[in-house]
C-alpha cells in the first residue's frame, strides 16, 4: 500500500457529454452535442430532421444504419423512416456490434 504504487480512479458516475456523429462514403457528419438524456423524440428533432434527413435526401440512393440503442429502435423513429427515399439497414437480433463509428 505504498502511495507510489496506488493508482487512484474515479468509480462514481463520470461527467461527460453525449455526441452523435455519422460517417458516409466520402465524408462525415458534424458532431451533434446532445444535452441531457437522448429520447426518441429528441433524436428525431435534434439529429434526424436537421442533420440526417437533409443530407440523405440529396443522395440518389441512401441506406442509413443505426444501432439498437433505445432511442433508435423506438416505434416513433421507425415510423420516421417509412419514407421510401431512405432505406434503413436492419440490425438483426443477437448480431455482433459491427458499427464502424466506434473505430473513428
Amino acid at each position: 500500500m505504498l502511495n507510489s504504487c496506488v493508482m487512484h480512479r474515479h468509480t462514481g458516475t463520470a461527467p461527460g457529454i453525449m455526441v452523435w456523429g455519422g460517417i458516409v462514403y466520402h465524408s462525415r457528419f458534424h458532431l451533434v452535442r446532445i444535452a441531457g438524456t437522448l429520447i426518441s423524440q429528441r433524436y428525431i428533432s435534434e439529429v434526424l430532421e436537421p442533420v440526417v434527413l437533409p443530407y440523405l435526401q440529396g443522395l440518389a440512393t441512401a441506406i442509413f444504419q443505426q444501432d439498437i440503442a433505445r432511442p433508435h429502435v423506438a416505434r416513433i423513429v421507425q415510423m420516421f423512416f417509412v419514407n421510401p427515399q431512405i432505406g434503413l439497414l436492419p440490425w438483426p437480433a443477437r448480431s455482433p456490434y459491427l458499427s464502424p463509428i466506434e473505430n473513428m
Side-chain angles (χ1 to χ4, degrees):
M1 293 299 292
L2 292 174
N3 225 10
S4 60
C5 298
V6 175
M7 181 185 304
H8 297 279
R9 64 182 192 147
H10 182 74
T11 57
T13 305
I17 61 170
M18 179 185 292
V19 294
W20 178 93
I23 54 175
V24 292
Y25 188 64
H26 287 295
S27 185
R28 65 186 181 279
F29 289 102
H30 294 286
L31 289 178
V32 177
R33 185 177 187 277
I34 307 296
T37 303
L38 183 65
I39 59 173
S40 56
Q41 186 59 47
R42 287 188 59 218
Y43 178 54
I44 292 172
S45 64
E46 296 178 20
V47 176
L48 295 178
E49 288 179 341
V51 179
V52 176
L53 191 59
Y55 184 83
L56 294 180
Q57 285 181 336
L59 300 175
T61 59
I63 299 175
F64 187 66
Q65 176 188 6
Q66 53 189 4
D67 60 17
I68 54 173
R70 285 185 183 213
H72 300 170
V73 297
R75 183 174 289 131
I76 190 171
V77 174
Q78 299 302 314
M79 295 304 295
F80 181 82
F81 284 106
V82 171
N83 183 339
Q85 284 184 310
I86 301 171
L88 188 60
L89 187 67
W91 197 283
R94 299 185 182 175
S95 66
Y97 192 75
L98 300 175
S99 178
I101 193 79
E102 298 297 325
N103 298 314
M104 295 301 289

